[in-house]
Amino acid sequence: MFDVGNQQDRERLHKAIKTSWSAVDTFRAVRTELVRDYVGSWYSTAGARRRTDVNMLNQTARIYTMALVFNNPQVKVTSFNPKLWPFCRKYEVNINRGLANIDFRTTFQAGVLDAFFLMGIFNVRMADSGFVELEDNVWVDPGKPWVDRISLDDVILDMSAKDIRAMRFIGHQYRASYDAVRDRDDYDRKVLDRLTPTSKSGVDSSSDRASEIAAGQAVDDDELGPMVWLKDVYLPGTRQLTTFCGDDDALPPLKVAEWDGSAMGPYKVLSLGIVPDNIMPSSPAQNLKGLHDLGNRLYRKLSAQAERQKNIVGVPAGSEDDGRKAKDAKDGEYPVFRDPKALVPISFPGVDGNTNAFFLAVQEVYNDQAGNQRMIGGLGKEADTVGQERIISSHAGGLIGFMKGAVNACASEICREYGNLMFDDEAMTVDSYMEAENTGYYMDSSWRPGDRAGLKSHYDFCVEPNSMSYRPPEAKLQQIMGYLQAVGTVFPLVQAGILDLQELTKLASEYENIPELQRIFKFIPQSAGEGMGDPHAATKPPVTSREIVRNNGAQGPQGGGMAAMFGQMMQGRGQGNGSGVTVGGGA
């Protein structure tokens, strides 16, 4: 069994890490080129190598990022034990509050953008939080749960693995303050005594780093104090998280900590395209790079053709005077020429129609390969009829849905680790409040030391679907109005006591991530016997089925359909044997 304390085992580990580091080097170079194309030719002197007139990669990356992660994820905590359900609600409220406090949205956005180019890597850890006094004159830094985005330039992967879950090691290297490292009480003092400041070039950096696009080549002059390279390596086989000196493999580890989280350790990987028998994914940017380059080459050619286009007048020898008169004549003048027929207009061709048509065709192919990004980004109408538009929209949603599934799964794993660190952190405090069953009344739900229920293994974590997607206010309003229309079609079931509208509204609010739904409905309990009557006497709604279609016209909350629906609901009040319903605000 591998023993990190054994020198021979450590030497084999460091050798395997160096071999895998070299194998990743090619992918780092490709990723850097893709990032150059993303920033274009005007970002810096180290941007795209050729002039970028139509930055299709940049537009696609922004559309994907907006569609996949625009907001902080909303975590849902569940448990198999019904007795823990009240604590589940408190648990999820504080996880969501904690993620907002550390600005997880920005970190996760950067990781999703990394996955567009190749892969996103995250590290869930305990970060410094400041010293607190546990006892008289006993001060410690308990840390706080944190999520870091790890650059591919710094990641350590086991490239011999055929599956990301079968890696024997995973980690990352980083620069740390020499003085801060020397002051760490949890590091081996004997190893610290042998530690010396090192240069940025102390580790292998043979490939171009993406950070050098803006900052230039790595130099030590921009560091404010002595620094040292460190690397954290997680070993799934022994479930140990080790910290080594980054550029001195002969030294024993500075720290070895046991990991009691998930089997993959603190590192979470986001991939948008799995490749069989390889841990490196096939990314959207890799697949779109060729069309991006082709489109820009064609556009540069069209631009050169347009600049070459000109109209001139040929003047024969001996008729120079007529030429000058033609050049200087103003509109409406009648100059006298010796031989007007000798002046011959000459036109040099401009943009070639076939080349322009091919460029437009390339744009259409790119749009198709990008999953119909025009539809996803709301950049324009894709079809002439509503039916065709709906078909296109469903296909675009299916393609982006695949990526949403991967992003949601990764976010859920990160939130699981974050929640586990919160559960184990006996010093962490979070101030929060939660509404008591949509009554409009709020109660304290703050996270306090010692306030736990059950074991952390009793809880499961997932991210609410659609909680991270971007939706403008008008889209939310349209969803609310769509739900109200849907309620009108099923209201006879509510009147008959067959359908629980309150529970349906709660589910719709959670699944669609529209908490406003539960605020606009007021459920009024009825006394026994009130409203009892023949359930089959319920008035049939004037419209038994409705279809919401997309059009380019502005839509508002008023209209005949909504008025009929409200009238329908008002007529049906009190006829069911369940709960009465009032739509709108007020008691």
Side-chain angles (χ1 to χ4, degrees):
M1 183 177 179
F2 181 85
D3 180 10
V4 72
N6 183 277
Q7 183 175 354
Q8 290 184 344
D9 286 351
R10 286 201 310 273
E11 289 177 353
R12 284 194 291 267
L13 173 63
H14 289 307
K15 185 177 181 179
I17 289 176
K18 287 183 176 180
T19 301
S20 290
W21 182 273
S22 299
V24 178
D25 215 35
T26 302
F27 292 93
R28 293 191 183 96
V30 171
R31 171 180 173 269
T32 299
E33 285 303 309
L34 293 173
V35 175
R36 292 182 193 274
D37 290 331
Y38 167 76
V39 300
S41 54
W42 300 106
Y43 178 76
S44 73
T45 56
R49 301 187 185 278
R50 297 294 301 274
R51 194 184 78 203
T52 306
D53 294 318
V54 186
N55 201 329
M56 295 184 283
L57 278 180
N58 185 285
Q59 179 174 265
T60 305
R62 288 186 287 116
I63 289 175
Y64 281 5
T65 304
M66 182 182 70
L68 295 173
V69 51
F70 188 80
N71 303 302
N72 265 315
Q74 296 301 304
V75 182
K76 183 70 175 178
V77 180
T78 57
S79 175
F80 63 87
N81 185 353
K83 294 181 180 179
L84 299 178
W85 289 352
F87 186 76
C88 285
R89 175 59 178 157
K90 181 176 182 178
Y91 201 178
E92 68 185 36
V93 165
N94 285 282
I95 291 178
N96 290 329
R97 173 64 65 181
L99 291 173
N101 289 342
I102 67 172
D103 193 20
F104 175 67
R105 178 181 73 98
T106 301
T107 302
F108 200 55
Q109 278 182 341
V112 170
L113 186 58
D114 282 337
F116 174 77
F117 298 116
L118 187 62
M119 66 193 311
I121 307 105
F122 303 91
N123 180 28
V124 188
R125 64 183 179 91
M126 294 297 289
D128 296 338
S129 62
F131 287 90
V132 298
E133 187 176 16
L134 296 183
E135 302 174 4
D136 291 341
N137 295 324
V138 177
W139 294 79
V140 299
D141 182 0
K144 62 180 177 181
W146 196 265
V147 182
D148 287 319
R149 167 243 174 200
I150 306 299
S151 170
L152 185 74
D153 290 337
D154 299 316
V155 74
I156 298 170
L157 299 172
D158 180 9
M159 291 295 287
S160 67
K162 295 182 178 180
D163 189 299
I164 202 77
R165 297 164 296 182
M167 289 191 298
R168 300 164 300 169
F169 55 84
I170 180 174
H172 75 290
Q173 64 177 20
Y174 53 96
R175 295 285 279 171
S177 168
Y178 172 76
D179 295 330
V181 171
R182 291 277 302 173
D183 291 339
R184 292 282 295 259
D185 293 331
D186 55 339
Y187 284 172
D188 189 328
R189 180 51 55 184
K190 294 181 180 179
V191 180
L192 287 175
D193 291 340
R194 299 168 60 184
L195 196 65
T196 57
T198 57
S199 169
K200 281 185 179 180
S201 59
V203 297
D204 182 12
S205 56
S206 56
S207 65
D208 292 337
R209 299 172 66 90
S211 60
E212 295 176 1
I213 295 176
Q217 293 291 327
V219 294
D220 295 333
D221 294 342
D222 60 355
E223 295 180 334
L224 300 181
M227 304 287 286
V228 62
W229 280 105
L230 299 180
K231 59 185 177 186
D232 290 343
V233 181
Y234 174 67
L235 306 171
T238 58
R239 299 180 67 86
Q240 290 177 320
L241 184 62
T242 60
T243 301
F244 294 100
C245 297
D247 49 3
D248 191 346
D249 296 343
L251 294 178
L254 286 164
K255 181 180 179 180
V256 179
E258 300 297 325
W259 175 260
D260 63 350
S262 64
M264 280 295 295
Y267 295 95
K268 310 301 174 187
V269 177
L270 173 59
S271 166
L272 298 180
I274 297 174
V275 177
D277 297 334
N278 290 271
I279 65 171
M280 284 299 185
S282 174
S283 71
Q286 293 170 352
N287 297 319
L288 296 172
K289 161 75 171 170
L291 288 169
H292 170 86
D293 288 345
L294 176 58
N296 275 278
R297 286 199 302 271
L298 290 172
Y299 199 83
R300 286 193 295 268
K301 185 173 183 178
L302 291 172
S303 176
Q305 290 176 350
E307 291 177 354
R308 288 196 299 267
Q309 192 278 330
K310 58 184 175 180
N311 297 319
I312 62 175
V313 177
V315 181
S319 300
E320 289 83 355
D321 185 58
D322 284 353
R324 283 191 295 270
K325 288 180 181 180
K327 179 180 178 182
D328 297 337
K330 297 181 180 179
D331 185 41
E333 288 187 348
Y334 295 87
V336 178
F337 299 104
R338 291 181 184 177
D339 185 8
K341 294 182 179 180
L343 303 178
V344 181
I346 302 174
S347 178
F348 289 88
V351 173
D352 180 71
N354 290 332
T355 305
N356 185 54
F358 184 45
F359 169 73
L360 296 177
V362 168
Q363 283 191 310
E364 290 303 314
V365 175
Y366 183 94
N367 181 59
D368 180 64
Q369 293 297 308
N372 208 329
Q373 68 172 13
R374 282 198 291 266
M375 173 67 70
I376 299 170
L379 300 180
K381 187 179 178 182
E382 288 294 294
D384 295 329
T385 66
V386 172
Q388 291 173 335
E389 189 87 343
R390 189 184 298 113
I391 294 173
I392 293 173
S393 178
S394 66
H395 285 294
L399 292 172
I400 199 70
F402 169 78
M403 290 186 282
K404 279 187 175 181
V407 169
N408 190 278
C410 181
S412 297
E413 282 297 311
I414 293 174
C415 293
R416 179 191 304 276
E417 296 296 352
Y418 184 89
N420 288 339
L421 292 178
M422 280 185 61
F423 199 94
D424 292 336
D425 188 357
E426 292 296 337
M428 183 178 182
T429 61
V430 178
D431 295 327
S432 62
Y433 295 87
M434 64 180 179
E435 188 176 1
E437 288 298 325
N438 300 288
T439 60
Y441 296 96
Y442 289 82
M443 58 183 182
D444 180 72
S445 61
S446 298
W447 190 262
R448 295 288 181 259
D451 186 10
R452 308 288 187 272
L455 303 174
K456 64 181 181 181
S457 58
H458 293 166
Y459 299 96
D460 194 14
F461 305 81
C462 67
V463 172
E464 290 288 350
N466 302 320
S467 65
M468 292 181 288
S469 301
Y470 169 73
R471 281 180 301 172
E474 57 270 21
K476 273 195 172 186
L477 179 61
Q478 189 175 16
Q479 284 183 290
I480 292 173
M481 293 305 176
Y483 179 73
L484 293 179
Q485 288 182 330
V487 167
T489 65
V490 300
F491 199 72
L493 299 178
V494 178
Q495 294 173 311
I498 300 174
L499 179 66
D500 188 336
L501 183 58
Q502 184 173 4
E503 191 64 26
L504 177 64
T505 302
K506 182 178 179 181
L507 289 176
S509 175
E510 291 180 357
Y511 292 160
E512 292 291 338
N513 191 33
I514 308 178
E516 294 84 355
L517 274 181
Q518 298 192 68
R519 295 206 299 267
I520 65 174
F521 278 86
K522 299 297 181 184
F523 297 93
I524 307 172
Q526 295 180 343
S527 59
E530 181 183 352
M532 296 296 288
D534 183 5
H536 299 288
T539 304
K540 183 179 180 180
V543 181
T544 57
S545 65
R546 289 180 174 85
E547 184 178 21
I548 303 173
V549 297
R550 179 179 182 267
N551 58 59
N552 292 332
Q555 296 182 358
Q558 298 180 353
M562 287 302 301
M565 189 272 295
F566 279 121
Q568 162 80 24
M569 298 181 72
M570 293 301 293
Q571 292 175 11
R573 181 184 296 176
Q575 294 183 12
N577 54 10
S579 298
V581 164
T582 301
V583 179

